[in-house]
Amino acid sequence: MNKEVKPAPAPGASRRRGPCPLKGVTPIQKDSPDRDPAGKFDDEDYPAYSMGHAAEILGVTQAFLRSLDAAKLLTPGRSEGGHRRYSRYQLRLAARARELIDQGTALDSACRIIILEDQLSDARRINAELQHTHRSKSDQPGPASG
């Protein structure tokens, strides 16, 4: 038998056949937040966790995470392949849901409680910002009269 021997690719050359995988990819702009990877580390809304990793971190099943998606509590991001991706913020919501369900709360009720807690938190934050703005304006001297 006579086997054809193919030469090894040159160092640094790709063994991948077909079009270049970077063809058509738009370069990241200088002012884009994606240019600085540290920005993604600090962004609690960045969908960094796969479903399997999220389930492992939370100590829940993937089916539990899918049920939160079906109940519209979480809307995970999607990878290019269509896989669910979760942010740290979503993991906190899922952990709170697990806590409520473990205490005997029904899934739909737990979701409603979490949504209301989240809305209350936002309202308190906005209220504190408005009070700070109001105080800052009232501390400034008014126009001189005379």
Side-chain angles (χ1 to χ4, degrees):
M1 284 194 166
N2 196 3
K3 286 188 176 180
E4 182 181 336
V5 177
K6 294 182 181 181
S14 173
R15 293 181 185 260
R16 178 178 284 179
R17 300 280 185 238
C20 174
L22 298 178
K23 186 176 183 179
V25 173
T26 306
I28 297 173
Q29 301 299 315
K30 287 184 180 178
D31 59 347
S32 169
D34 291 338
R35 185 148 181 94
D36 179 18
K40 292 179 185 177
F41 293 133
D42 295 335
D43 184 358
E44 72 171 14
D45 294 318
Y46 182 73
Y49 301 95
S50 67
M51 177 182 275
H53 194 199
E56 182 182 330
I57 289 169
L58 296 170
V60 300
T61 64
Q62 292 182 18
F64 175 74
L65 291 174
R66 283 191 292 273
S67 72
L68 297 180
D69 188 6
K72 305 274 192 262
L73 178 64
L74 304 178
T75 304
R78 296 286 179 155
S79 68
E80 288 183 18
H83 299 282
R84 288 175 175 90
R85 305 287 296 179
Y86 295 90
S87 67
R88 290 186 314 202
Y89 171 75
Q90 290 172 326
L91 293 184
R92 280 197 302 278
L93 294 181
R96 178 69 176 132
R98 178 81 265 165
E99 179 183 318
L100 289 169
I101 291 168
D102 287 346
Q103 293 172 1
T105 307
L107 175 63
D108 59 337
S109 298
C111 292
R112 186 67 184 141
I113 290 168
I114 292 165
I115 289 168
L116 290 171
E117 288 174 341
D118 205 40
Q119 289 174 345
L120 178 60
S121 175
D122 282 346
R124 285 180 172 161
R125 179 187 50 78
I126 291 167
N127 189 23
E129 289 173 5
L130 291 173
Q131 286 180 355
H132 177 74
T133 302
H134 179 71
R135 282 189 202 118
S136 296
K137 288 182 179 179
S138 65
D139 290 344
Q140 294 177 357
S145 57

